[in-house]
Amino acid sequence: MEVFSGRPRGPERHPPVGGSRARRASLLDLRSAAGQVFLLQVVIVVLLVVAAVGAMVLQAANDALQQGRMESIVAAQSFASAPGVAEALQSPDPTAVLQPRAEEARKRAGVDFVIAMNTDGIRYTYPYPREIGKKFVGTIEPALNGRTVVEQAGGPPLPAGRGTDVQAVVPVTDSHGKVVGLVSAGITVRNVAALWLPELPIILGSGVAALVLAVTGTTLVSRRLRRQTYGMAPAELAELYRHHDAVLHAVREGLLITDADGRLLMANDEATRLLGLPADLRGRPVRELGLPEPITRLLSSPEAVTDEVRLAGDRLLAVNKRPTYPKAEPEGSVVTLRDTTELAAVSGRAEVARERLKLLYEAGVGIGTTLDVERTAQELADVAVPQFADLVTVDLLEAVLRGWEPTAEGWRHLRRAAIGGEGRMIPVYPRGQMISFSRRTPQMRALQERRVTLETDLRQAQGWREQDPERAMRALERGLRSLVAVPLQARNVTLGVANFYRTVDSATFEPDDLTFAEELAARAAVAIDNARRFTRERAMAVTLQRSLLPRRQPEQDALEVAWRYMPAEAGVGGDWFDVIPLPGARVALVMGDVVGHGLHAAATMGRLRTAVHNFSTLDLPVDEVLGNLDDLVVRMDNEENTDDAREGQEGEGVTGATCLYAVYDPVTEACTMARAGHPEPVVVRPDGTVTCPDVPASAPLGLGGYPFETVELSLPEGSQLVLYTDGLVEDRTHDIDIDVGMERLRRALGGSGGRTPEETCRAVIDSLKPSHSSDDIALLTARTRRFPRSDVAMWDVPPDPAVVPSVRARCRETLLKWGLEETAFATELIISELVTNAIRYGSPPVGVRLLHGRCLICEVSDGSGTSPRMRRAATTDEGGRGLFLVAQFASRWGTRYTTHGKVIWTEQPLHDGASAALGLAPVDFLLDQFDDPGL
């Protein structure tokens, strides 16, 4: 229990100087004497209360037992002497007569039971009828002899419940004095024990009153002790004294305490040293100590003093004086003395050190914010001016600026990368100029000796002046005075040199400045080297990326295409695009994005682009191309995550990619496309309307097992299909989500119906390209063309070999109309062979289509899914050379499967109206097929 006085202590109750307790101790702390006395009093009161209660309980129990004996005897005798009891005991059915009377008597007498029994102890009555007829439990022999028996006994259950049964047994006699039966009455002690309960509050109240008196007395004693000991125990007082004594003797500040009469009560060792006080000073007046008059007057006066400087001998003392606590006894003053003789010099050095630490902190924060070499060099120049130098120039090796590994051979040729400060006022080499330092210059000496070089007076620096005498003279005239040249070194490799200049308006560099200049340059060198290595790796990744992307537009008739690719500042990603000509004058457009950045993402992109080319060569449907790509990404992921894979590999695991694959047919103006997790394309109609076709969004590549949905769009001639990666419309660093980016893209494409694809790309990039891109941006714009109807010829062929000559004739007529007479023979041969194979080995319907564009395309379709196979016929075979002839006369040929069968197609390049496949005369070619050296 904690008891407080309820009144806060005034300032006069604070403990002595240096020992104030932050926490108020409890008034009744059991560790204190008052707390221990209080605990003893509580124990005594509790023991007295327990003893009183115990005695009262025993007395009440005894009184209850005696009262129970009397009540049971009276009840038994009253029932035994009642009229008719003796006759009833002798009747044939005593229970029927006595049971109601016994219960009535029991309730009236307030006992627990009244039992009438025969001389053998067999009960005739009982509160519970099931106990009637059983043997009475108790002593009955004295009652049979005419005496009354009182005892404590147990028996069957009673209405009052369990407890000690006090029962009396009396005889029942007839008119002749013969004992004809017995009557027993009893009561449990528990029923009468409540007589002592009214006395319990008196005892408890007395105990509580005693406790209150003990608390009050102990509180008063505790408060008095707290006033006398400032709330501390004797051990704490002793410890506090030792601590205060140690502090007063060890502190480097003089401390004096004087009373109201000007007598010196205490002085610590530092005060004795500073003032030259004698040893026997306690209690002596201040004026008798022989102190200087200003110090004596200050100590004697009652006024408070704050940071006043007084001269004491050859020392300047900063004095502070305050009165003691207002009601402290005795009253007086506390004076502190601090020697400030060396404070000015120490403060100056501390201020310089503080400024240098602040500048180093700013350098750590401000240098290396980007991974650009020249920007990092400029940050070094900006940080050092004007806190450390008036002019800063940074000269780097050409290899460093290009991201290459620097060598000592390049020290003679450095390029100025940054200028900070008064570069416009003082003539120095401009930024970007190549500089060849001579061997005697401070810069070259710093590079060769790999240590900082100091020129305190540039007017005497012959090597510096010989570098460029005219420029040096003009710089000196403008006030340039001193120089510190520091080599920029990182990983034991020299990157360049940093030059710190000061003018006549600033103090010249001193040897103490060299360490700081080295520290500043070392931090900048690490940042520059990081930027150089990033520049190298980024250049490698960009080179790899650009080498894997299309370098020129392929020849095709379906689309007019333009594209843009911009790598991210932080590193090259896996964005790629492609334009792939397909058979039948169709063109495939691809736009994809590999998750991640760096060389691994670029290499993965190259693998996926190659795979798309291969799948496109097979002329697979759009959804099957994406399905095969999905399987490839899953296999690549599994390969990257195998146990024997190199640990620490950059970008380990493909983890997925997105792709949009579209095929445009200029003959039908239909575009079939599907996308795997890629942003949806945008279509600009010829009238300038911007729409986003509802291309179903399928799962990204690499998840495996998910189908890819396709959609077919009709794109009129002049429509523009815009494909892009998410870097164009999403910027996580600037919290630009894809919805906002899509809206900006639609606005940028508005009114683009009359633009060329190149103009559209330029407008989109100008509107959406961020200033600092965190992700790659790939953009592909394709404007559709329609294949002229006059250059398309197609007709159905009946499934009869006899119609082949008519097909050749119709083909000849078409070619004559197109002005392709020179290609007629080869084309007729191709058409004849393909149609014959379709009729013989395929199934109807059979059709022929000729397309006249950059090349002549021949297509023969049938309803069979069987692909033809070219073989080398033996010299004795009469057939089997048809497809071989087709392959010789056509530059390319192949099979394309459709939903209704297949299409066999060939392409014949057109140059000056002649087929390039006719370099070998057909007759000579056929003769060569039968040429057999063994014959």
Side-chain angles (χ1 to χ4, degrees):
M1 177 184 295
E2 294 184 346
V3 179
F4 296 91
S5 64
R7 182 183 65 185
R9 296 182 298 178
E12 71 279 10
R13 301 306 179 192
H14 290 185
V17 176
S20 180
R21 299 182 63 182
R23 177 179 56 88
R24 297 186 60 184
S26 171
L27 292 175
L28 301 180
D29 190 349
L30 296 182
R31 292 176 295 181
S32 64
Q36 295 172 359
V37 171
F38 171 68
L39 178 61
L40 179 62
Q41 291 175 342
V42 170
V43 172
I44 293 174
V45 171
V46 170
L47 291 177
L48 290 175
V49 171
V50 171
V53 172
M56 184 180 64
V57 170
L58 292 176
Q59 182 63 36
N62 185 58
D63 293 345
L65 184 61
Q66 294 299 326
Q67 184 178 357
R69 293 167 63 90
M70 293 297 298
E71 290 181 358
S72 61
I73 293 173
V74 171
Q77 290 179 348
S78 298
F79 189 79
S81 61
V85 173
E87 291 78 3
L89 289 172
Q90 298 175 358
S91 65
D93 190 4
T95 298
V97 178
L98 296 177
Q99 174 68 10
R101 297 177 62 182
E103 285 300 299
E104 182 180 357
R106 177 180 68 81
K107 297 176 180 178
R108 187 169 58 250
V111 296
D112 290 333
F113 63 85
V114 175
I115 303 174
M117 67 191 86
N118 60 15
T119 55
D120 295 329
I122 302 303
R123 301 190 193 100
Y124 290 144
T125 64
Y126 199 79
Y128 298 133
R130 64 178 177 275
E131 302 294 332
I132 297 174
K134 296 181 181 180
K135 184 70 175 182
F136 176 73
V137 180
T139 305
I140 62 174
E141 285 76 10
L144 294 176
N145 295 326
R147 297 196 301 272
T148 300
V149 180
V150 181
E151 63 179 348
Q152 298 179 14
L158 300 176
R162 296 182 179 181
T164 302
D165 180 15
V166 179
Q167 61 185 14
V169 182
V170 299
V172 179
T173 59
D174 57 4
S175 56
H176 302 290
K178 179 182 178 182
V179 177
V180 296
L182 302 174
V183 174
S184 176
I187 188 171
T188 57
V189 175
R190 190 169 60 85
N191 286 350
V192 298
L195 298 174
W196 60 271
L197 291 177
E199 302 179 8
L200 182 61
I202 299 175
I203 298 174
L204 296 179
S206 300
V208 171
L211 287 176
V212 172
L213 291 176
V215 170
T216 303
T218 305
T219 302
L220 295 176
V221 172
S222 177
R223 291 183 59 188
R224 183 168 183 81
L225 290 176
R226 287 171 61 85
R227 286 196 299 270
Q228 294 179 349
T229 63
Y230 295 100
M232 292 181 289
E236 293 177 316
L237 287 173
E239 182 180 8
L240 179 64
Y241 175 79
R242 290 194 300 270
H243 291 171
H244 284 193
D245 189 63
V247 171
L248 289 175
H249 285 82
V251 70
R252 297 294 296 170
E253 189 170 278
L255 179 66
L256 302 98
I257 299 179
T258 60
D259 61 9
D261 298 330
R263 296 180 179 274
L264 187 63
L265 300 181
M266 191 208 72
N268 68 345
D269 295 346
E270 183 67 10
T272 302
R273 184 184 71 83
L274 293 176
L275 299 177
L277 299 175
D280 54 341
L281 52 85
R282 183 177 178 83
R284 295 177 58 181
V286 173
R287 295 190 176 275
E288 298 179 3
L289 301 179
L291 299 175
E293 181 59 25
I295 299 296
T296 301
R297 186 168 56 253
L298 185 146
L299 296 178
S300 302
S301 65
E303 289 81 7
V305 174
T306 301
D307 289 335
E308 290 192 7
V309 179
R310 295 288 186 270
L311 181 65
D314 58 348
R315 302 179 184 275
L316 289 176
L317 302 180
V319 183
N320 286 275
K321 182 179 180 182
R322 292 290 184 275
T324 58
Y325 295 118
K327 296 182 180 181
E329 297 178 2
E331 296 182 359
S333 302
V334 178
V335 180
T336 59
L337 307 173
R338 186 172 66 256
D339 190 359
T340 62
T341 306
E342 300 178 357
L343 185 60
V346 173
S347 299
R349 291 195 297 270
E351 181 65 20
V352 172
R354 187 184 68 83
E355 291 296 330
R356 294 288 171 83
L357 288 176
K358 180 181 178 182
L359 185 57
L360 285 178
Y361 171 77
E362 293 177 355
V365 175
I367 299 177
T369 58
T370 66
L371 290 173
D372 182 82
V373 175
E374 293 189 20
R375 176 72 178 274
T376 305
Q378 186 62 47
E379 289 171 347
L380 168 61
D382 294 340
V383 166
V385 175
Q387 291 91 338
F388 181 68
D390 298 319
L391 171 66
V392 177
T393 61
V394 181
D395 304 321
L396 299 177
L397 276 70
E398 185 70 17
V400 174
L401 293 171
R402 294 179 179 272
W404 303 338
E405 193 70 21
T407 59
E409 289 75 9
W411 290 355
R412 294 291 302 274
H413 305 285
L414 287 84
R415 188 177 297 277
R416 179 137 297 174
I419 300 176
E422 300 182 2
R424 296 182 178 179
M425 303 296 297
I426 299 176
V428 295
Y429 290 112
R431 181 175 178 179
Q433 181 172 341
M434 184 68 70
I435 306 173
S436 298
F437 289 106
S438 63
R439 294 186 179 276
R440 297 183 58 188
T441 58
Q443 291 85 349
M444 185 55 62
R445 285 191 284 119
L447 290 173
Q448 292 176 341
E449 299 173 8
R450 306 189 70 175
R451 63 179 180 85
V452 62
T453 301
L454 171 63
E455 292 288 352
T456 56
D457 190 355
L458 291 177
R459 292 171 295 183
Q460 309 300 325
Q462 296 298 326
W464 177 79
R465 299 183 64 176
E466 290 174 0
Q467 173 68 27
D468 191 339
E470 183 180 353
R471 191 186 300 271
M473 183 62 66
R474 287 189 285 118
L476 292 175
E477 292 175 355
R478 297 291 179 89
L480 206 61
R481 281 296 176 267
S482 57
L483 162 67
V484 173
V486 187
L488 297 173
Q489 302 177 84
R491 297 185 300 107
N492 203 28
V493 174
T494 302
L495 309 173
V497 61
N499 307 300
F500 302 95
Y501 295 92
R502 283 184 181 175
T503 62
V504 293
D505 298 330
S506 303
T508 60
F509 287 110
E510 299 179 356
D512 292 342
D513 297 321
L514 304 186
T515 303
F516 176 78
E518 286 182 314
E519 178 67 22
L520 189 62
R523 298 194 178 196
V526 173
I528 291 174
D529 188 59
N530 290 337
R532 178 194 65 81
R533 299 179 66 182
F534 171 78
T535 301
R536 180 189 61 186
E537 295 189 7
R538 185 172 184 273
M540 293 172 57
V542 170
T543 302
L544 175 61
Q545 178 88 335
R546 295 193 181 277
S547 67
L548 296 175
L549 291 175
R551 298 188 179 183
R552 60 182 181 85
Q553 296 189 16
E555 294 184 357
Q556 44 86 27
D557 298 317
L559 298 170
E560 181 183 355
V561 181
W563 58 67
R564 292 289 188 278
Y565 171 73
M566 288 166 288
E569 292 183 356
V572 175
D575 294 10
W576 94 91
F577 57 89
D578 221 330
V579 180
I580 307 173
L582 298 178
R586 297 170 302 134
V587 176
L589 299 178
V590 189
M591 180 66 68
D593 186 1
V594 176
V595 176
H597 292 83
L599 293 175
H600 182 268
T604 303
M605 177 273 293
R607 298 173 66 182
L608 294 182
R609 179 171 179 251
T610 302
V612 172
H613 268 274
N614 294 334
F615 297 145
S616 300
T617 302
L618 297 176
D619 211 348
L620 298 176
V622 172
D623 55 340
E624 291 188 20
V625 171
L626 292 182
N628 290 330
L629 276 180
D630 184 46
D631 295 339
L632 176 61
V633 173
V634 171
R635 289 196 301 272
M636 293 167 62
D637 233 348
N638 294 335
E639 292 174 0
E640 293 288 347
N641 295 324
T642 54
D643 295 337
D644 57 348
R646 273 192 308 135
E647 294 183 0
Q649 181 180 359
E650 180 188 4
E652 184 173 355
V654 179
T655 70
T658 65
C659 183
L660 188 147
Y661 187 76
V663 175
Y664 174 70
D665 189 344
V667 178
T668 62
E669 296 184 330
C671 181
T672 304
M673 65 179 68
R675 60 188 178 114
H678 202 81
E680 59 182 345
V682 178
V683 174
V684 182
R685 299 291 178 177
D687 58 357
T689 304
V690 180
T691 61
C692 292
D694 190 12
V695 181
S698 302
L701 302 177
L703 299 182
Y706 291 93
F708 298 96
E709 301 182 47
T710 62
V711 67
E712 184 174 308
L713 307 176
S714 177
L715 298 180
E717 185 175 12
S719 300
Q720 292 194 38
L721 183 62
V722 181
L723 309 182
Y724 54 91
T725 56
D726 57 356
L728 182 68
V729 295
E730 189 176 17
D731 189 353
R732 296 180 180 89
T733 59
H734 296 84
D735 295 331
I736 300 177
D737 58 22
I738 193 168
D739 294 333
V740 176
M742 287 297 297
E743 183 60 31
R744 294 173 57 192
L745 177 60
R746 293 189 189 96
R747 289 199 300 266
L749 291 174
S752 299
R755 296 174 181 170
T756 64
E758 183 66 28
E759 294 172 343
T760 301
C761 286
R762 187 182 306 113
V764 170
I765 294 300
D766 292 343
S767 300
L768 274 70
K769 183 180 183 299
S771 56
H772 300 286
S773 177
S774 60
D775 195 6
D776 289 16
I777 295 177
L779 174 65
L780 175 64
T781 302
R783 184 163 64 178
T784 61
R785 297 170 179 166
R786 179 170 179 168
F787 212 90
R789 294 290 182 256
S790 59
D791 292 336
V792 178
M794 54 190 303
W795 59 91
D796 296 331
V797 178
D800 184 1
V803 302
V804 174
S806 62
V807 173
R808 288 200 302 267
R810 189 167 182 178
C811 174
R812 187 184 311 110
E813 295 174 359
T814 303
L815 295 178
L816 292 176
K817 182 175 62 176
W818 289 343
L820 303 178
E821 295 86 352
E822 290 82 356
T823 63
F825 177 79
T827 306
E828 289 182 43
L829 178 60
I830 292 173
I831 291 293
S832 176
E833 291 296 335
L834 295 181
V835 171
T836 301
N837 285 342
I839 295 174
R840 181 177 300 175
Y841 302 109
S843 60
V846 178
V848 175
R849 186 172 73 166
L850 299 178
L851 301 176
H852 179 203
R854 294 177 182 269
C855 62
L856 180 62
I857 301 174
C858 302
E859 296 181 346
V860 177
S861 62
D862 67 86
S864 172
T866 304
S867 176
R869 180 174 60 88
M870 185 176 65
R871 65 186 180 86
R872 182 97 177 180
T875 55
T876 57
D877 292 342
E878 295 183 358
R881 298 176 178 82
L883 289 179
F884 191 83
L885 293 174
V886 170
Q888 294 299 317
F889 281 97
S891 62
R892 292 199 310 156
W893 76 281
T895 304
R896 179 173 77 250
Y897 293 95
T898 65
T899 57
H900 304 291
K902 67 177 181 297
V903 176
I904 311 297
W905 56 268
T906 64
E907 291 183 359
Q908 298 169 258
L910 302 178
H911 299 288
D912 298 330
S915 175
L918 294 180
L920 185 64
V923 177
D924 296 335
F925 174 76
L926 292 176
L927 291 176
D928 287 341
Q929 302 306 309
F930 291 94
D931 187 13
D932 189 353
L935 295 178

